[in-house]
Amino acid sequence: MEALTATPRALFPRASPAALMATARRAPSARRRCAAPVRASAAAAEPAGEAKPAAAPKAAGDDGAAAAAPKKVLKKKPVYSMKKGQIVRVDKEKYLNSINYLSVGHPPFYKGLDYIYEDRGEVLDIRIFETGEYALIAWVGIPTPPAWLPTYMLIKSDKLDYERI
């Protein structure tokens, strides 16, 4: 206890070191107070053998019973503008003016991407992200990885035997 009173910073801001020494000298049967009273739960206060009486049933017309029961919120299925397996190609003007093309950093009049405007691509997956609806497109016969492109720049093909432009 002497070590506690000798510290330069008080451990208990409400009590002075003299008050702490006085409480330590009291008899063990003396009641000690703590800063925050401890509250017992209602279940701990009841004896183990007694059961709590059930609440009175409410009237059938009362809305309180309906509000007490949690309602399940079902997620709506998103409505996509395309289907998986759809044959598409990319609109050249929309793609060249998009952030997707600008982020790649190709030089002007780059011819390496002409296959996305001319060859057919198949929609592998469709998702709605924070920035809009995107489709995962893989090009048939072109050994390149699939790419996520916004659906607004895709042109749908009506038939599966798509001819090159």
Side-chain angles (χ1 to χ4, degrees):
M1 204 59 174
E2 292 172 3
L4 289 176
T5 59
T7 58
R9 184 174 63 98
L11 295 175
F12 305 101
R14 292 186 188 166
S16 66
L20 288 174
M21 293 300 288
T23 56
R25 287 188 216 128
R26 284 190 199 163
S29 63
R31 181 178 168 186
R32 294 183 184 171
R33 293 186 182 187
C34 59
V38 178
R39 295 185 182 134
S41 67
E46 293 179 6
E50 295 180 19
K52 192 173 181 181
K58 294 186 176 185
D62 194 7
D63 290 339
K71 294 182 180 178
K72 279 192 173 180
V73 178
L74 298 176
K75 282 187 175 180
K76 291 184 179 178
K77 274 192 157 182
V79 178
Y80 298 116
S81 60
M82 298 183 176
K83 296 186 290 186
K84 290 182 183 179
Q86 177 82 39
I87 302 299
V88 295
R89 64 184 176 93
V90 179
D91 186 8
K92 189 172 186 175
E93 284 184 29
K94 289 182 181 177
Y95 181 72
L96 292 177
N97 294 326
S98 71
I99 191 74
N100 301 43
Y101 178 73
L102 296 174
S103 67
V104 175
H106 289 304
F109 307 109
Y110 179 69
K111 296 289 183 186
L113 290 177
D114 285 346
Y115 67 92
I116 67 172
Y117 318 122
E118 298 168 358
D119 290 336
R120 62 182 177 171
E122 181 183 354
V123 176
L124 301 178
D125 194 10
I126 298 177
R127 296 219 180 133
I128 297 176
F129 296 110
E130 292 146 0
T131 55
E133 184 183 44
Y134 283 74
L136 183 65
I137 309 296
W139 284 271
V140 179
I142 310 293
T144 57
W148 286 100
L149 292 172
T151 56
Y152 74 87
M153 67 176 61
L154 300 176
I155 301 170
K156 298 178 192 175
S157 176
D158 295 332
K159 51 187 176 176
L160 290 176
D161 54 344
Y162 184 82
E163 293 184 21
R164 194 169 182 181
I165 294 176

